[in-house]
Amino acid sequence: MSELLKITDFSVNYKIGKKQLSAIKNVDLTVNEGEITAVVGESGCGKSTLAYSIVQLLDKRKSSVSGSILYQGKELVGLKAKEMVKIRGKEIGFIFQNPLDSLNPVIKSGNQVVEAICLDGIDRKTAFEKTQTLYERVKMSDPLHQMSQYPHELSGGMRQRVMISMMVSREPKLLIADEPTTALDVTIEAEILQLLSELKEKNNTSVLLITHNLGVVSKIADKVAVMYAGQIVEFGKTEDVLKNPSHPYTQMLLKAIPKGTKHDVKLESIPGTVPRFYDTNQGCRFYNRCPMAQKKCEAFAPEKVKIDNIHYCYCHLLGGEHVEGTTD
């Protein structure tokens, strides 16, 4: 499969007073055509910051970026706003975490999708018909009625379907989904995940899925990147990472997944919280929470270690072949 999105040595710093908060540091990640790649980690690990950076949605007055983000060979870092507008929405769609905040509350849901389609020079009648078809495709009951409703009149699952309809209406090659099933019940969550899988299978759409739910990852992702404190600590095929986790953080995340009922077993957790890191930090960012940490873990960052095939990990505890290059 050919590379669609290639992120290399990418970093994001936020201005906090006179300091620089290191939100993303030296991230390498590749999304191939027709694949669902998940980025998973605790809240506050930088997943959404990474997603927003790709389409230049960060406030440039409060943040600075470095490194490279190539989309079909075109550099997005430093791209002028006028050029980015041509890519955002048309080439790269974005499903936001909370559709109620993302949809215009005073415009009917169908009109918002129609307006998105009209950006490509399509007349409103054709755009209206396409919107109805899209609503049917995302399994909206009574599409014409749902198109006439305002966002606050729709349920959370229906609003997310409207957002998906809007984002796929221009047939983007890459779809970034930022926690698309947050606050949805398990039935609606399954339907949304099924929609994303169908987009991949029928349209060869690539999906970058941002989530903290490993259960979601196991269901639909082809590959997974485990992120901690702004750095990717492990990457590989989903089955390889979940069955053979190599980084201590990945291992502890999997152990923290509830199994059985609350009476069967005591829930495990990862002690501590994700700390803030400033640009002076040089070591492994999981050092202060890792039960197997050594002095060198605090002193300098681990190199990329090849586990198997395209399964990589960044940890001093692992032996094996040290490799250079991006995650693919």
Side-chain angles (χ1 to χ4, degrees):
M1 292 185 180
S2 59
E3 295 174 346
L4 184 66
L5 183 76
K6 186 174 184 178
I7 303 172
T8 307
D9 197 24
F10 185 73
S11 300
V12 178
N13 289 334
Y14 288 125
K15 298 175 184 176
I16 307 293
K18 295 183 179 180
K19 294 183 178 180
Q20 293 284 331
L21 175 65
S22 179
I24 301 288
K25 186 176 182 181
N26 305 132
V27 164
D28 293 339
L29 182 66
T30 297
V31 179
N32 293 327
E33 290 185 356
E35 283 188 345
I36 297 179
T37 300
V39 179
V40 65
E42 294 172 87
S43 297
C45 282
K47 304 184 302 296
S48 293
T49 294
L50 178 62
Y52 278 53
S53 299
I54 295 170
V55 288
Q56 292 188 10
L57 290 179
L58 294 181
D59 188 341
K60 293 183 179 180
R61 297 168 299 176
K62 299 179 181 179
S63 63
S64 60
V65 303
S66 63
S68 172
I69 300 178
L70 294 176
Y71 171 74
Q72 290 191 316
K74 186 180 184 68
E75 181 61 68
L76 300 185
V77 174
L79 192 67
K80 292 182 179 180
K82 289 183 178 180
E83 292 298 316
M84 193 66 221
V85 168
K86 298 177 182 178
I87 294 175
R88 190 191 303 127
K90 177 61 177 175
E91 297 287 333
I92 304 176
F94 202 113
I95 300 174
F96 293 93
Q97 184 170 346
N98 188 347
L100 185 58
D101 292 341
S102 306
L103 295 170
N104 192 319
V106 297
I107 299 178
K108 295 177 180 180
S109 73
N111 286 341
Q112 297 190 50
V113 181
V114 168
E115 288 179 4
I117 297 172
C118 288
L119 290 174
D120 294 327
I122 298 174
D123 64 88
R124 290 193 67 86
K125 180 181 178 182
T126 303
F128 184 90
E129 293 172 351
K130 185 174 181 179
T131 299
Q132 184 178 354
T133 300
L134 286 168
Y135 272 41
E136 292 172 351
R137 185 177 174 188
V138 298
K139 299 178 174 59
M140 293 277 270
S141 58
D142 195 356
L144 287 176
H145 174 67
Q146 304 289 7
M147 288 170 64
S148 68
Q149 291 192 304
Y150 292 94
H152 71 273
E153 297 178 300
L154 300 171
S155 67
M158 289 299 175
R159 287 194 291 265
Q160 197 61 283
R161 285 175 167 82
V162 173
M163 180 60 68
I164 293 174
S165 296
M166 187 185 302
M167 290 302 105
V168 304
S169 65
R170 303 178 70 189
E171 300 178 0
K173 294 181 177 64
L174 174 64
L175 190 62
I176 301 174
D178 185 14
E179 302 276 10
T181 59
T182 296
L184 301 180
D185 62 56
V186 292
T187 302
I188 303 302
E189 175 186 275
E191 292 176 357
I192 297 299
L193 295 178
Q194 180 62 32
L195 286 174
L196 293 178
S197 295
E198 289 177 1
L199 285 173
K200 183 193 81 166
E201 297 299 330
K202 295 180 180 180
N203 294 4
N204 200 38
T205 304
S206 300
V207 180
L208 181 62
L209 175 66
I210 308 298
T211 184
H212 62 266
N213 190 331
L214 285 168
V216 168
V217 172
S218 66
K219 291 176 183 176
I220 69 168
D222 299 296
K223 295 175 183 174
V224 58
V226 181
M227 198 169 198
Y228 180 78
Q231 292 184 317
I232 290 177
V233 297
E234 187 164 0
F235 178 88
K237 291 183 178 179
T238 301
E239 184 178 9
D240 294 339
V241 173
L242 297 186
K243 288 188 176 181
N244 182 32
S246 299
H247 196 280
Y249 178 62
T250 311
Q251 295 170 0
M252 296 175 78
L253 273 182
L254 289 168
K255 287 181 180 179
I257 297 175
K259 300 176 180 65
T261 68
K262 63 180 180 179
H263 303 292
D264 294 334
V265 65
K266 182 180 178 180
L267 290 177
E268 295 193 38
S269 62
I270 303 176
T273 57
V274 181
R276 286 188 169 190
F277 285 99
Y278 296 93
D279 50 13
T280 55
N281 176 266
Q282 299 298 324
C284 174
R285 295 191 169 190
F286 192 54
Y287 168 79
N288 66 323
R289 299 175 72 187
C290 181
M292 296 174 282
Q294 304 173 359
K295 288 185 178 180
K296 63 181 178 180
C297 300
E298 185 180 21
F300 57 93
E303 298 179 51
K304 180 190 290 186
V305 180
K306 183 176 181 180
I307 307 301
D308 181 43
N309 197 14
I310 61 168
H311 186 182
Y312 297 97
C313 183
Y314 296 78
C315 184
H316 287 303
L317 299 175
L318 298 172
E321 177 188 355
H322 288 263
V323 296
E324 299 296 333
T326 58
T327 323
D328 53 6

